[in-house]
Amino acid sequence: MKLKSSYIVVAVLSVIAIAFPAFLGAYPLNVARSIMTYMALAISWDMLLRSGQISFGIAGLFGLGSYASALAVLRGGMDPMLSIVFAAAFAGVMAYALGFAILRLRSMYFSITTLALMEIFRIVMHNLHDFSGGPEGVVLPSVIFKGASPALYWLCLAGLFLTIGVSWFFEKSKMHLALTAIRNDETSARSSGVNIFNYLLIAFVITSVLQGMMGAIQVQSYGFTTPDTAFDANFTLLPLAMALLGGIHSTIGPMAGAVLLGVASEWLKLKIPYGHLVVYGIIIILVILFMPQGLFGLARKARRERSKAGASHE
Amino acid sequence: MKKALLVIMIIALAVSAFAMGAKEATGTAPAGAAPIKIGATWPLADITGKQGSMAAQQAVDEINAAGGVLGRKLELIVVDDELKADKGAAAIEKLVTVDNVDLLIGGMASGVALGQIPVMKKYAKVVISTGAASYKVEEGLGAEADWYFHLHPWDYNQGQSYADGWEAIQKKFGNVKIQKIFLAYEEGAFGKASFDASKTLFGGRYTFDGAPFKSAAFGGGDYASVLEAAKKYGPDLFLWAGYDADALPMLEQAKAMKFNPGIYLGAPPGWPADFGKSPLAENVMLYGMWAPSINGVSPASKKFYDGFMAKYNTEPATYFAPLSYSAVYIAADAIKRAGSTDTAALIKALAATNYASPLGQTITFTPSNIIKHQGVKNQKILQWQKGRQEVIWPFESATAAPVYPFPAWK
Amino acid sequence: MANKRNAAIFAALIVAAVAGILVWRPTVIIYGLQAAGLYASIAIPMGLILGIVHIVNLAHGEFMMVAAYLTYMVCTALGIDPFVAMIPVALVTALVGFIVYKLTIRQALKAPELNQLILTFGLAISLTQLANLLFTSQTRKMSFGYVSASLSIGELSFGVYNFVFVAIAVLMVIGLRLFLTRTTAGKAALAVGQNPKGAAIVGIDVDKTYGLVFALATGMVGMMGAIFITRSSIFPAVGSPFTMKSFCLIAMAGIGNIPGILGASVLLGISENFLKAFRETRGWADIVFFVLIITVILGRSIKGKKA
């Protein structure tokens, strides 16, 4: 029963999301795209986090995807849509190769290494002047779908849906048990027969594919990229903040966090032209202080308390 | 179930709050006396964009005080581009579709402009751009973009004007001799573009070399190795292309290394507060578009400067202020001549612009490499003398003669 | 044990490299050490917090920025030298650090460590943007003649002022070592850093120790901020790049290994300047930092597995 009703909600929500272009103008659609991009990154980051591995390399894979897609179109004459698939696969292959070395690291050392890798990607793109355009970046001959707002929105939405779908699959499948077991107690997970490394590698590759794909969608939607745009540290820090503010170890948490921060940032900007980022920073501080489990965690707690209260009344 | 409902509620609340905010910002005005709306994007957290937007507002207020344009008031709507391409693009979407602006002005960073161009192309509204120097932006625009009026010189325009300037200075002042030029450039897009442009333009006439450094603006600020390379090269003209954060530390380091070129010249987009007060600043040369000293030779500059000081009680620190001020006046003048804000008429009127700007020069629009409407094509060569930036070249707006060579370190 | 062997290998490598390069390109060593001094003296306070309070303080560079502006205001208003102003500024930043700790970080200590990370990220944004509102993004720099102090050996002239940072870094390491091993508060801090629960059981006030360490570290970074303005321009975003650099250096040294930060900085400073000395490799100087970090971390992990 419970399962069914939540399926209905999901279906309704998806239809609403798909139908947005019918009643929203170009500006909200543009903002929505940016929020959805961060949302997908936040969810994909959270997927790896469920194993306890904290990646600081989101921007690295995002940027790698951006460049793979842009250069495939520019240097290889690839079809833009195909280049998104190519970029996702490229990010996956890179993650697979790197994963063998870096997934053996734990905690902060893993985080630092992913961060360092991101910087290395950036510097390489920065220095390969003839191939990657150097610091000035690359400009594509045209934007995908001729820049039509609804089409760009749906493309981004498709990327987001795919991410959500994979994340839910992670939640419902054997992956969930395995990753949670690794996070909670690696030694006992190992002894109970979970092949830790394989699961980590799968999770790392899949999340990297998703991040690379979002990077490719971004670059095709804006028609250009530079090392500083593609590997912007904000693509690492904001998804992290969003996931935490929404509530980690879930799909819905990062989504809620992305909506909160994404809307807050755009809204504050219009209300307070000079100095809106001060308020933005304070919002992050306050949410972390007063909702340590995130928005979603707070909701979960409130519901638990209410059902407890309801039970005692009966 | 409840979980999902909660999320829906959050999203719904956020979206409706957002939609309300967007509407509120638009406001409603009676159709007859509706103001002419100018939409603008700048990075408001940066001194360039902040003062650019302030100067544009100053121009709007001045024009409105003088009766407005076509009997209508001007209204300036500024949205922060946050120095980010996606935010900048969203800002253009908002200005065009939500605020229904009649034309667009503004801009600073090329990286933001590149993200805005696809959106600008979609609507093909008139744009008077105050920034975006990279030739990549021009490539992105293409030859069809006749609605794009680019006030700021392209990087190659700047390079060309320096080549012209040094030629003219050497001809007029026989003691100035330049044979070897060394360019220290910040490793980002700005510096690299300067290097590429300079290499082609200086390459034949002079011997030219350069080396990159990491700007203090991005966590660098160690100039020892680049100055070492420059010193070894022994240039007559040492030029650095970086940011204001590099200005004094690089001088201090040059002094420590006893690096003493004939001309020491900087080309940052702005200078640090009180740079002129440092004893090291004396006789440093610079590239720029405007300095307060131009007040002495240009009434338009004086009017702008006095108005800015009176309104904000702070000195314009970058040329983005007079450039943005000019953008508003150019727009207002074109609307007046076109008799309407219709895009086709406006493009025609703008193309015929002839505006005596506070930059100390008259702005007209002529074709550049790709686009049809390029405004300013030259930069100025200036020199710090007694704490002030004095114009050396072009000679028609010169305020002082050059002090040459750069004095030896004491 | 593995740590000590690592350190020994490090030392041997550095000595060999230094000797070789000193003959070939003396400036690489000079400027490398100067850069190392700056890196280390900014990273060491962060290493202290990370080693004892176990918090990655993403607002680390921002505390330095706040101190730098404070020093700038004090020095321009009173006409004093930053080396004089650094003591009151360090005290004020220590107090600010303590208050920030009490108001925010302490509340998040029980939450997962990521919360503290994002909390300090929020702090970093707020501080940077507040400074931007108050001072705009236009940079400021005071001029001091001694910054251009020069030494000439034969043909070679170079700046010597930046060696000040080497001295500061070494003093910081020695000072911290004395504090952590000789004083009661320091010993308590060390115990808390190694095992907070155990320390609490033996009667150490963990919260008070955390507060003290946080204040001490922000005080140190405040002092660095004061001296930083002699060398560098200041602007709201001036601190943030140093946060990441510091974090990387600490990871390279190994968390809790404060003298190791010094070694890591020297290695990086010299390698960077080595690449910068040649035309072909100039543009790649940045990459050496990250390649070395990954190599060291991976190397240590493989070694750890074997041991």
Side-chain angles (χ1 to χ4, degrees):
Chain A
M1 180 60 208
K2 188 171 173 261
L3 207 63
K4 258 187 197 155
S5 59
S6 70
Y7 275 140
I8 295 170
V9 173
V10 168
V12 171
L13 268 178
S14 313
V15 170
I16 294 176
I18 293 170
F20 261 160
F23 48 89
L24 286 181
Y27 167 56
L29 288 183
N30 198 315
V31 174
R33 257 163 58 203
S34 153
I35 294 176
M36 291 190 304
T37 305
Y38 280 115
M39 196 183 274
L41 293 179
I43 295 170
S44 69
W45 175 77
D46 186 82
M47 282 157 71
L48 186 63
L49 183 73
R50 292 169 205 167
S51 72
Q53 291 286 54
I54 302 166
S55 163
F56 285 172
I58 311 172
L61 291 148
F62 180 87
L64 213 56
S66 299
Y67 265 100
S69 165
L71 292 175
V73 170
L74 214 59
R75 308 270 182 259
M78 200 182 274
D79 174 72
M81 276 306 267
L82 193 65
S83 83
I84 295 173
V85 179
F86 167 76
F90 183 76
V93 171
M94 284 295 280
Y96 182 77
L98 292 169
F100 273 102
I102 65 171
L103 282 171
R104 302 191 187 280
L105 301 171
R106 290 293 175 270
S107 73
M108 213 163 276
Y109 295 104
F110 175 77
S111 312
I112 282 279
T113 307
T114 51
L115 183 75
L117 280 173
M118 175 203 99
E119 285 294 328
I120 290 176
F121 297 154
R122 186 182 65 76
I123 298 166
V124 168
M125 287 304 148
H126 192 110
N127 277 298
L128 294 179
H129 295 164
D130 296 330
F131 180 64
S132 69
E136 290 139 302
V138 284
V139 179
L140 297 176
S142 68
V143 177
I144 196 167
F145 307 129
K146 296 197 175 68
S149 299
L152 291 180
Y153 171 83
W154 283 320
L155 177 66
C156 199
L157 188 67
L160 176 64
F161 274 173
L162 186 64
T163 310
I164 294 174
V166 175
S167 173
W168 270 350
F169 175 75
F170 266 43
E171 274 184 0
K172 309 281 175 225
S173 70
K174 231 171 82 187
M175 277 303 277
H176 176 68
L177 288 174
L179 293 182
T180 314
I182 297 170
R183 179 175 90 231
N184 288 339
D185 188 348
E186 192 169 330
T187 329
S188 72
R190 202 187 299 267
S191 59
S192 65
V194 177
N195 187 336
I196 290 174
F197 189 75
N198 273 358
Y199 277 106
L200 280 182
L201 192 62
I202 294 172
F204 186 58
V205 168
I206 290 181
T207 55
S208 302
V209 164
L210 295 170
Q211 287 156 11
M213 173 188 72
M214 291 319 289
I217 291 176
Q218 173 97 348
V219 79
Q220 293 300 337
S221 310
Y222 287 97
F224 88 102
T225 196
T226 67
D228 295 337
T229 322
F231 300 101
D232 189 340
N234 275 321
F235 287 123
T236 294
L237 285 169
L238 286 180
L240 242 99
M242 286 165 174
L244 276 160
L245 296 192
I248 49 176
H249 302 150
S250 69
T251 305
I252 288 177
M255 291 173 72
V259 172
L260 170 79
L261 279 193
V263 172
S265 124
E266 194 67 22
W267 190 71
L268 286 171
K269 177 171 100 172
L270 300 180
K271 289 280 141 190
I272 319 168
Y274 303 96
H276 48 94
L277 285 168
V278 180
V279 185
Y280 186 72
I282 292 173
I283 290 180
I284 294 180
I285 297 175
L286 291 180
V287 175
I288 284 288
L289 283 182
F290 293 105
M291 302 180 206
Q293 306 297 318
L295 292 174
F296 183 55
L298 193 77
R300 198 158 28 186
K301 202 170 133 203
R303 207 184 56 208
R304 209 179 300 137
E305 264 160 25
R306 209 173 41 200
S307 67
K308 226 185 265 166
S312 63
H313 275 300
E314 271 170 33
Chain B
M1 178 65 203
K2 276 182 188 153
K3 208 191 279 184
L5 265 179
L6 188 94
V7 175
I8 301 177
M9 264 168 60
I10 292 172
I11 295 177
L13 259 174
V15 169
S16 57
F18 181 52
M20 258 155 57
K23 246 189 214 123
E24 223 172 284
T26 323
T28 45
I36 294 169
K37 287 183 186 168
I38 302 176
T41 64
W42 278 291
L44 298 185
D46 193 76
I47 184 86
T48 52
K50 186 177 184 182
Q51 292 201 339
S53 66
M54 284 156 72
Q57 187 60 52
Q58 176 199 348
V60 165
D61 291 351
E62 283 176 15
I63 292 167
N64 283 344
V69 178
L70 307 177
R72 293 160 72 187
K73 296 261 183 235
L74 292 184
E75 185 190 342
L76 182 71
I77 306 170
V78 180
V79 180
D80 192 355
D81 68 28
E82 300 183 48
L83 273 177
K84 290 190 187 119
D86 55 342
K87 292 279 183 182
I92 299 288
E93 298 266 25
K94 172 183 182 285
L95 289 170
V96 175
T97 61
V98 180
D99 300 321
N100 293 313
V101 296
D102 294 292
L103 76 158
L104 295 159
I105 64 170
M108 197 280 279
S110 299
V112 176
L114 282 167
Q116 290 175 327
I117 285 171
V119 183
M120 289 175 171
K121 275 187 177 169
K122 192 165 68 180
Y123 299 111
K125 285 254 174 211
V126 166
V127 178
I128 304 177
S129 165
T130 55
S134 168
Y135 71 98
K136 293 258 176 192
V137 173
E138 196 181 22
E139 273 176 20
L141 280 165
E144 304 300 307
D146 62 345
W147 39 265
Y148 195 84
F149 291 78
H150 190 237
L151 277 184
H152 195 291
W154 298 114
D155 41 20
Y156 59 84
N157 292 141
Q158 302 182 28
Q160 181 62 52
S161 85
Y162 303 145
D164 295 347
W166 288 115
E167 201 67 33
I169 289 174
Q170 287 182 83
K171 208 168 275 171
K172 183 161 173 182
F173 301 96
N175 58 334
V176 182
K177 291 250 176 345
I178 300 168
Q179 194 36 246
K180 290 169 90 177
I181 298 177
F182 189 92
L183 171 63
Y185 60 99
E186 69 91 21
E187 60 182 17
F190 164 60
K192 179 69 171 37
S194 304
F195 180 70
D196 290 342
S198 309
K199 201 163 61 180
T200 18
L201 287 160
F202 287 143
R205 170 76 174 75
Y206 306 95
T207 29
F208 178 80
D209 197 12
F213 66 91
K214 194 178 182 73
S215 170
F218 307 109
D222 192 347
Y223 314 103
S225 57
V226 71
L227 290 172
E228 190 79 25
K231 198 178 161 191
K232 205 170 280 170
Y233 188 70
D236 305 307
L237 167 57
F238 170 75
L239 162 64
W240 64 270
Y243 295 94
D244 51 353
D246 302 314
L248 262 173
M250 196 187 277
L251 262 175
E252 286 163 353
Q253 183 85 45
K255 185 181 174 194
M257 294 172 66
K258 304 216 162 74
F259 172 51
N260 212 188
I263 295 170
Y264 187 106
L265 189 150
W271 289 82
D274 297 334
F275 178 80
K277 284 187 189 156
S278 165
L280 300 182
E282 188 62 12
N283 296 338
V284 166
M285 292 214 181
L286 64 145
Y287 290 153
M289 278 171 99
W290 180 83
S293 63
I294 292 180
N295 292 346
V297 291
S298 156
S301 172
K302 182 149 176 51
K303 182 184 168 214
F304 153 72
Y305 182 88
D306 292 344
F308 195 92
M309 289 296 282
K311 193 169 163 76
Y312 301 113
N313 197 25
T314 173
E315 194 169 65
T318 81
Y319 62 74
F320 283 91
L323 204 58
S324 307
Y325 177 90
S326 303
V328 172
Y329 267 98
I330 288 172
D333 170 61
I335 294 170
K336 209 177 287 170
R337 281 184 287 113
S340 81
T341 55
D342 169 66
T343 298
L346 201 52
I347 290 175
K348 221 171 141 196
L350 272 171
T353 291
N354 195 312
Y355 169 65
S357 75
L359 300 172
Q361 63 195 101
T362 300
I363 296 178
T364 57
F365 290 102
T366 51
S368 56
N369 279 0
I370 300 176
I371 63 165
K372 289 193 193 82
H373 300 127
Q374 171 60 36
V376 180
K377 277 189 176 165
N378 68 302
Q379 290 270 59
K380 296 178 176 68
I381 297 174
L382 303 95
Q383 186 173 38
W384 286 96
Q385 293 181 3
K386 301 195 178 72
R388 273 162 54 90
Q389 299 177 12
E390 302 289 352
V391 180
I392 303 297
W393 179 85
F395 300 128
E396 52 273 26
S397 42
T399 58
V403 175
Y404 175 88
F406 186 64
W409 298 114
K410 283 179 268 319
Chain C
M1 190 59 212
N3 247 348
K4 261 192 193 145
R5 199 156 23 130
N6 256 344
I9 293 170
F10 258 168
L13 274 176
I14 289 169
V15 169
V18 164
I21 303 168
L22 196 55
V23 181
W24 186 28
R25 293 260 167 171
T27 50
V28 169
I29 302 291
I30 295 167
Y31 300 135
L33 282 179
Q34 293 182 346
L38 184 71
Y39 293 164
S41 46
I42 298 176
I44 287 168
M46 190 187 193
L48 181 65
I49 293 181
L50 196 57
I52 290 172
V53 195
H54 301 294
I55 281 182
V56 180
N57 181 11
L58 286 184
H60 179 69
E62 275 66 25
F63 279 117
M64 185 174 89
M65 178 272 296
V66 169
Y69 272 105
L70 202 61
T71 315
Y72 179 84
M73 286 194 296
V74 170
C75 291
T76 43
L78 305 178
I80 57 173
D81 192 274
F83 280 92
V84 180
M86 78 181 183
I87 293 159
V89 166
L91 290 176
V92 171
T93 8
L95 185 68
V96 171
F98 186 72
I99 293 169
V100 167
Y101 169 79
K102 281 282 175 199
L103 284 182
T104 62
I105 291 164
R106 196 171 83 109
Q107 320 297 325
L109 275 179
K110 289 206 181 66
E113 56 177 336
L114 273 169
N115 280 31
Q116 299 143 18
L117 185 85
I118 294 303
L119 179 71
T120 56
F121 171 57
L123 265 175
I125 297 183
S126 306
L127 289 176
T128 314
Q129 297 301 327
L130 203 61
N132 200 338
L133 268 188
L134 294 175
F135 299 101
T136 75
S137 71
Q138 193 183 20
T139 63
R140 282 148 212 273
K141 171 86 174 74
M142 297 174 80
S143 284
F144 303 97
Y146 55 75
V147 175
S148 301
S150 174
L151 187 68
S152 298
I153 303 172
E155 284 288 281
L156 183 67
S157 295
F158 56 91
V160 288
Y161 173 72
N162 283 336
F163 280 122
V164 133
F165 295 103
V166 179
I168 292 171
V170 171
L171 285 177
M172 275 181 174
V173 170
I174 296 172
L176 277 180
R177 189 158 197 94
L178 290 178
F179 169 72
L180 290 175
T181 53
R182 299 283 166 84
T183 65
T184 327
K187 282 180 195 159
L190 210 55
V192 170
Q194 275 154 3
N195 183 352
K197 277 187 194 132
I201 290 167
V202 298
I204 297 172
D205 187 338
V206 174
D207 179 48
K208 210 171 109 189
T209 308
Y210 279 171
L212 178 74
V213 168
F214 205 85
L216 178 67
T218 40
M220 280 162 75
V221 89
M223 189 188 80
M224 260 314 289
I227 302 172
F228 186 75
I229 77 165
T230 58
R231 166 199 186 270
S232 179
S233 311
I234 56 170
F235 47 97
V238 74
S240 45
F242 289 99
T243 304
M244 194 183 75
K245 237 177 191 155
S246 302
F247 188 27
C248 290
L249 284 170
I250 294 161
M252 196 164 151
I255 290 158
N257 177 6
I258 287 175
I261 297 175
L262 212 54
S265 305
V266 170
L267 183 63
L268 286 173
I270 291 181
S271 327
E272 266 184 358
N273 274 281
F274 184 74
L275 287 192
K276 278 192 202 163
F278 303 96
R279 172 183 295 270
E280 294 74 22
T281 50
R282 247 172 224 155
W284 296 91
D286 264 359
I287 214 167
V288 70
F289 195 91
F290 302 103
V291 170
L292 276 175
I293 286 158
I294 294 179
T295 319
V296 168
I297 291 177
L298 281 180
R300 199 163 40 209
S301 106
I302 290 165
K303 242 198 189 145
K305 287 259 158 63
K306 275 184 193 152

